[in-house]
Amino acid sequence: MYGVCGCCGALRPRYKRLVDNIFPEDPEDGLVKANMEKLTFYALSAPEKLDRIGAYLSERLSRDVARHRYGYVCIAMEALDQLLMACHCQSINLFVESFLKMVRKLLEADKPNLQILGTNSFVKFANIEEDTASYHRSYDFFVSRFSEMCHSSYEDPDIRTKIRMAGINGLQGVVRKTVNDDLQSNIWDPQHMDKIVPSLLFNLQSGEGTESRSPSPLQASEKEKESPAELTERCFRELLGRAAYGNIKNAVTPVLMHLDNHSLWEGKTFAVRCFKIIMYSIQSQHSHLVIQQLLGHLDANSKNSATVRAGIVEVLLEAAAIASSGSVGPTVLEVFNTLLRQLRLSVDYELTGSYDASGNIGIKIIKTHEERQLQEAVIRTIGSFANTLPTYQRSEVMLFIMGKIPVPGVHPALTNAGSGGCEGTRMIQIMLLKSLVQVTTGFQTTNMLTALPNSFLEPLLSFSLMEDPEVRLLVLTILLSVIDRHDNTPKFSSISIISDISVLKLKVDKCSRQDNLFMKKHAQQLYRHIYLACKEQSSGPQHFETLYTLLALISMELANEEVVVDLIRLALALQELAQTNEESLSVYNRCAVHALSAAYLNLICQLTTVPTFCQHIHEVIEMRQKEVPFLLPEDVFIENPKLPASLEKLEGDVLFQQSKITEVLGGSGYNTDRLATPYIPQFTDEDRLSKRKSIGETISLQVEVESRNSPEKEERTPAEEITFETLKNAIVDSVGMEEQERERRRQVVEKFQKAPFEEIAAHCGARATLLQSKLNQIFEITIRPPPSPSGTISSGYGQTQSRSVPVYEMKFPDLCVY
């Protein structure tokens, strides 16, 4: 029998004998290296036999696994690995099929050691670059099995960690093997990504709070390299780094779903960490795709709890900070539109106390403080996005947000009819103005005309007339941000009498031509709103400090000689306002206006560098320090100002004298006529539109009647006498006129929105024809025809009219011809 067997053994194929020879009698001895070299040489010499070698090794390994001869299993896998590393011939594909079959067999085993052994072999195989592509190979099983290993719940924590790490390494190997192979099934398909990404996030989350994070993988200690969380992060970064433009969505969607399913938005820290990894790993030009997905997810969660929405917004904030300039993408306004919509929804939820949703979501209790936190997060995020934009796009965003702010009497209230309507309008005004503050912070522009166009400046200034002090303060803050181009604002954060402004080290540039044009166009608006802001009863110390800063910045950023004169006139008008007290201001407000006027005149006199002007201002300030210190900022803008019970009419040396200032500045070449004319603000319909429910409106009517026909630069005509009846009629008529004007405007807008193009064109054409006919009439009246030697002709109606005869038809007397 033994002889027969030996004879049969000698007749076996050579490749089988070479394979058998690599296995020792005792598996503890390991692979027989000499015989392994012979097998490798044979495989290289006869590559057509490689697939048979693989099949035979696979057969032996299956038998050894079934018989629990794990020593031989390890030897077989080591032999396979060496053959793979050595052979890169065209027929390796069939050998790989046998190899993958064996790896699969090991991964299906219950023994953790076999799973880890199979994974290690697969990772080695994944790092091999094959010469030829495979058309029929599938890695679906490996994706599923490695993902399952990533979630291992083995009892022994050390073994559990090893299995999970093997699973992570296996997924990394699958990605490396398939991501650049066009012939393979696409690893970026949702069916694969929905397994790979959650498996990685599960391990990333399990390492949260440990010292798994390191400055970089190269500097990590050995212990950290063995951490599943650190390994997961490296694998996740590699996966995202390989993602092309069309694959970003498939890679990010499972992240969003995982954070939703495990309620991980509320904690914020893990969600933020995930998206930091994503934003730093993907190619920078793809950043806007991630941001768009986050915005879409925010919209999808509009009716979710405030903490979930706040978590998404916080992630957006971090993502925007990482995104490079301009990477928000082409849909810039859509980004801000989404954020503003969330802001409005949050205000609605806070006021109504309900999500107004179908199903069980609507019964959730709205927590006001959570909604407030969300609103603040949205506002910060708007600012963060704005900081990534170039100047021209930021200007567009400013106009866009301004168009969203509801104006009383112009835009309808938000939602929440009834008692909530006014409060809702007020809240959304404040939120959107806060957003504008964020957008304009750090805004740098060289041209004020483009930074503050009419379409932005006029509605903004209309808010400075609102009764709400918070709204007015926000408007002033926005103006400061846009006007300040040299970071001078912090130097005027508090009002004080500065004896020498050189210590402030102010940065002042020469006023450009564009700045001069801007002031020529908008200066009177700015002065008027500063003046009216000082008349507000509800203005506090912050308002006066901001107004002082605004006046100072205008003086340095936008001032020419004419502007300086107007600002001095404005400061003197404020003194007069506090002195006459037509608005019945409180003692504090009157003292504050006096102090504001004094502080600003002290600043402007040093900027003009006219010694006699400075001397007069300093004399008045010294006199005030001795006699009426409560008219200076140091005694007014403190915690507990010491004010008199009532402010009597002041006279003499404690007041700045317009005549004296005119005299001293006139000697230095300033326009004395303009200086001698007291400043009177122009009142417009805007005042009544924006507010007023106080006696200030009736006072403004009289001033309006006086000033309507008296522009700033013309001589004022004496006002007609106003009786109670005329006042009453004026109020009634003005209300009626406003109603008619509003209705007329609405009809015009509606016509241009809904009428067909031909009708609009005809209407405009008719207006043009009418204009031309009027011009022709004017020309006929003003341009007389030359005298005609042919005399006159009679018209059809018996009237004589001159007829102009061409020169070549004229009959000249003989004496005139030579």
Side-chain angles (χ1 to χ4, degrees):
M1 287 292 291
Y2 290 111
V4 173
C5 289
C7 179
C8 291
L11 294 174
R12 299 180 71 203
R14 188 182 177 195
Y15 75 88
K16 285 190 177 181
R17 280 181 281 134
L18 289 171
V19 169
D20 289 337
N21 290 340
I22 66 173
F23 290 94
E25 290 185 11
D26 184 1
E28 295 293 330
D29 296 339
L31 185 69
V32 180
K33 292 184 179 180
N35 292 337
M36 185 64 219
E37 289 175 3
K38 291 179 184 177
L39 178 62
T40 305
F41 179 76
Y42 176 76
L44 289 170
S45 304
E48 69 278 1
K49 301 286 186 180
L50 193 59
D51 58 324
R52 298 184 187 182
I53 293 171
Y56 184 59
L57 271 170
S58 174
E59 182 187 329
R60 284 204 57 147
L61 183 132
S62 299
R63 188 169 63 242
D64 290 335
V65 168
R67 294 174 180 176
H68 304 292
R69 297 166 66 180
Y70 299 126
Y72 287 126
V73 170
C74 293
I75 292 170
M77 290 310 297
E78 187 179 348
L80 279 168
D81 292 343
Q82 289 193 26
L83 285 171
L84 270 175
M85 298 299 288
C87 303
H88 291 281
C89 57
Q90 291 182 351
S91 58
I92 196 174
N93 278 331
L94 295 175
F95 176 71
V96 169
E97 292 302 321
S98 300
F99 168 78
L100 292 178
K101 184 179 177 182
M102 284 182 277
V103 171
R104 182 170 182 162
K105 188 78 177 175
L106 294 179
L107 293 175
E108 286 174 338
D110 293 333
K111 296 284 182 180
N113 290 340
L114 293 184
Q115 295 174 11
I116 294 167
L117 178 66
T119 304
N120 291 339
S121 291
F122 183 85
V123 170
K124 289 175 186 175
F125 159 69
N127 290 326
I128 295 173
E129 290 187 16
E130 298 180 54
D131 295 336
T132 55
S134 171
Y135 292 86
H136 57 280
R137 201 179 297 158
S138 172
Y139 294 98
D140 291 5
F141 166 79
F142 295 101
V143 171
S144 300
R145 184 60 183 146
F146 289 139
S147 299
E148 189 180 335
M149 289 168 68
C150 287
H151 290 87
S152 172
S153 55
Y154 201 84
E155 292 178 3
D156 188 330
D158 292 334
I159 296 176
R160 181 170 67 236
T161 299
K162 287 179 181 177
I163 294 173
R164 288 184 180 182
M165 289 182 70
I168 297 163
N169 277 319
L171 288 176
Q172 190 175 27
V174 173
V175 171
R176 285 179 180 174
K177 198 66 184 169
T178 58
V179 75
N180 294 321
D181 192 348
D182 295 334
L183 300 174
Q184 295 299 331
S185 60
N186 192 354
I187 197 68
W188 301 106
D189 285 345
Q191 60 180 357
H192 298 311
M193 284 290 111
D194 289 348
K195 295 173 184 174
I196 294 172
V197 173
S199 302
L200 296 176
L201 294 179
F202 172 76
N203 284 280
L204 196 63
Q205 187 187 353
S206 66
E208 193 77 1
T210 66
E211 69 255 34
S212 61
R213 302 205 65 188
S214 62
S216 78
L218 297 175
Q219 298 171 358
S221 66
E222 288 301 317
K223 184 178 181 181
E224 285 176 326
K225 283 182 180 177
E226 294 173 357
S227 160
E230 184 65 24
L231 180 63
T232 301
E233 186 170 331
R234 286 204 300 274
C235 180
F236 195 32
R237 287 182 186 278
E238 183 179 339
L239 173 70
L240 294 162
R242 293 171 180 269
Y245 182 88
N247 301 326
I248 294 289
K249 184 178 179 181
N250 287 350
V252 174
T253 301
V255 178
L256 299 173
M257 298 304 295
H258 182 83
L259 296 172
D260 283 345
N261 294 337
H262 297 276
S263 304
L264 295 172
W265 292 112
E266 287 93 331
K268 297 179 190 174
T269 52
F270 180 70
V272 166
R273 184 185 172 195
C274 283
F275 276 90
K276 276 187 175 180
I277 292 172
I278 292 171
M279 296 302 291
Y280 280 123
S281 302
I282 62 173
Q283 298 173 45
S284 59
Q285 66 267 29
H286 300 159
S287 297
H288 68 277
L289 294 174
V290 179
I291 288 170
Q292 284 174 352
Q293 271 192 271
L294 280 166
L295 288 166
H297 200 66
L298 182 59
D299 271 344
N301 283 275
S302 290
K303 291 184 171 65
N304 217 322
S305 67
T307 50
V308 170
R309 283 176 284 138
I312 300 172
V313 170
E314 286 287 345
V315 170
L316 265 169
L317 177 64
E318 295 291 339
I322 295 168
S324 58
S325 178
S327 68
V328 177
T331 56
V332 175
L333 294 182
E334 188 55 39
V335 171
F336 290 94
N337 196 31
T338 301
L339 292 170
L340 294 177
R341 184 165 59 246
Q342 290 300 322
L343 203 56
R344 175 173 289 200
L345 279 172
S346 179
V347 170
D348 287 349
Y349 294 158
E350 184 183 338
L351 289 169
T352 59
S354 166
Y355 289 119
D356 191 27
S358 58
N360 295 327
I361 301 176
I363 61 173
K364 286 186 178 178
I365 299 170
I366 303 286
K367 295 180 180 177
T368 303
H369 72 279
E370 288 180 355
E371 292 295 342
R372 288 288 169 88
Q373 288 171 358
L374 168 65
Q375 291 157 17
E376 293 300 324
V378 171
I379 290 168
R380 287 199 307 276
T381 306
I382 287 172
S384 183
F385 271 112
N387 288 332
T388 68
L389 299 176
T391 303
Y392 74 94
Q393 279 190 324
R394 210 191 282 206
S395 298
E396 287 178 13
V397 171
M398 286 160 57
L399 279 169
F400 180 73
I401 296 175
M402 180 56 72
K404 296 279 183 182
I405 306 178
V407 181
V410 177
H411 298 332
L414 292 175
T415 51
N416 315 323
S419 61
C422 294
E423 179 60 18
T425 303
R426 176 190 163 278
M427 283 179 67
I428 202 67
Q429 282 172 346
I430 289 173
M431 294 300 165
L432 293 178
L433 286 171
K434 282 182 176 179
S435 302
L436 267 178
V437 170
Q438 290 286 334
V439 172
T440 54
T441 300
F443 181 61
Q444 293 290 332
T445 179
T446 52
N447 190 343
M448 291 303 296
L449 280 169
T450 55
L452 287 173
N454 260 336
S455 51
F456 179 78
L457 186 61
E458 287 185 5
L460 180 68
L461 290 177
S462 72
F463 287 109
S464 70
L465 301 176
M466 299 288 288
E467 289 180 338
D468 192 319
E470 189 175 358
V471 170
R472 296 202 308 274
L473 190 60
L474 288 168
V475 170
L476 293 172
T477 307
I478 292 165
L479 280 173
L480 293 184
S481 297
V482 179
I483 292 173
D484 184 15
R485 291 172 289 184
H486 297 91
D487 298 321
N488 286 320
T489 300
K491 296 165 187 176
F492 301 106
S493 56
S494 59
I495 309 182
S496 60
I497 303 294
I498 305 162
S499 56
D500 183 8
I501 61 168
S502 62
V503 298
L504 296 177
K505 296 180 181 177
L506 300 172
K507 298 174 187 173
V508 185
D509 279 349
K510 188 178 179 182
C511 193
S512 66
R513 180 173 171 272
Q514 289 93 343
D515 293 343
N516 286 333
L517 288 172
F518 173 79
M519 289 307 284
K520 196 166 282 187
K521 192 173 182 182
H522 298 296
Q524 295 303 323
Q525 282 178 288
L526 290 170
Y527 305 150
R528 177 173 169 273
H529 284 82
I530 291 171
Y531 182 86
L532 294 175
C534 291
K535 293 169 70 171
E536 296 291 344
Q537 287 278 9
S538 56
S539 291
Q542 261 190 303
H543 292 83
F544 290 109
E545 286 171 3
T546 314
L547 285 167
Y548 171 68
T549 309
L550 180 58
L551 283 166
L553 289 179
I554 293 173
S555 308
M556 287 183 298
E557 297 280 353
L558 305 166
N560 51 31
E561 186 177 310
E562 187 179 328
V563 171
V564 168
V565 169
D566 281 339
L567 287 168
I568 293 168
R569 291 170 60 223
L570 175 59
L572 293 169
L574 291 177
Q575 177 182 264
E576 187 64 21
L577 167 69
Q579 179 79 341
T580 55
N581 196 24
E582 291 177 357
E583 294 282 333
S584 303
L585 295 172
S586 66
V587 173
Y588 174 81
N589 283 46
R590 291 176 67 189
C591 291
V593 173
H594 272 300
L596 169 64
S597 176
Y600 178 66
L601 284 170
N602 173 67
L603 175 70
I604 196 76
C605 77
Q606 294 182 64
L607 288 172
T608 55
T609 63
V610 177
T612 48
F613 182 27
C614 294
Q615 184 182 350
H616 171 66
I617 300 300
H618 291 154
E619 284 173 0
V620 175
I621 289 171
E622 285 174 15
M623 190 60 69
R624 286 190 179 186
Q625 286 170 343
K626 292 175 186 176
E627 296 184 9
V628 280
F630 48 81
L631 298 187
L632 294 174
E634 285 78 7
D635 278 47
V636 176
F637 301 110
I638 55 176
E639 266 191 54
N640 298 307
K642 296 177 181 178
L643 304 176
S646 63
L647 199 61
E648 301 300 329
K649 194 167 179 68
L650 302 164
E651 292 179 353
D653 296 338
V654 294
L655 295 178
F656 302 100
Q657 303 297 329
Q658 183 144 1
S659 57
K660 179 72 173 174
I661 292 172
T662 305
E663 181 187 335
V664 296
L665 287 177
S668 298
Y670 286 87
N671 187 335
T672 51
D673 293 339
R674 196 170 180 81
L675 275 166
T677 309
Y679 172 77
I680 297 173
Q682 296 176 354
F683 285 80
T684 66
D685 293 337
E686 187 184 23
D687 300 338
R688 292 196 303 276
L689 191 67
S690 297
K691 39 179 318 193
R692 261 183 170 70
K693 299 174 183 175
S694 65
I695 57 170
E697 185 168 355
T698 57
I699 294 170
S700 73
L701 279 172
Q702 180 174 354
V703 182
E704 186 177 2
V705 171
E706 293 176 12
S707 61
R708 260 303 161 84
N709 302 317
S710 59
E712 185 67 29
K713 296 178 181 178
E714 295 180 7
E715 187 111 347
R716 290 183 58 209
T717 55
E720 63 181 21
E721 187 179 351
I722 302 293
T723 63
F724 175 79
E725 284 299 320
T726 55
L727 191 60
K728 180 180 175 183
N729 292 337
I731 293 171
V732 173
D733 289 346
S734 65
V735 172
M737 288 295 287
E738 278 179 27
E739 294 275 336
Q740 291 173 13
E741 180 66 16
R742 198 175 298 130
E743 180 62 20
R744 189 186 68 78
R745 287 182 181 178
R746 190 191 63 76
Q747 288 174 358
V748 169
V749 170
E750 188 175 354
K751 178 180 178 181
F752 275 88
Q753 283 177 340
K754 297 182 179 178
F757 174 78
E758 292 78 8
E759 185 179 332
I760 295 171
H763 174 71
C764 294
R767 290 182 64 185
T769 308
L770 180 64
L771 175 63
Q772 188 61 46
S773 66
K774 293 291 182 187
L775 287 172
N776 290 338
Q777 287 179 24
I778 293 166
F779 291 146
E780 284 176 6
I781 293 168
T782 55
I783 305 171
R784 299 292 181 186
S788 173
S790 58
T792 59
I793 58 171
S794 61
S795 67
Y797 297 98
Q799 297 173 343
T800 59
Q801 62 184 44
S802 299
R803 182 170 71 94
S804 182
V805 179
V807 173
Y808 57 83
E809 291 184 4
M810 289 183 182
K811 304 293 183 185
F812 293 100
D814 293 340
L815 293 174
C816 294
V817 181
Y818 59 92

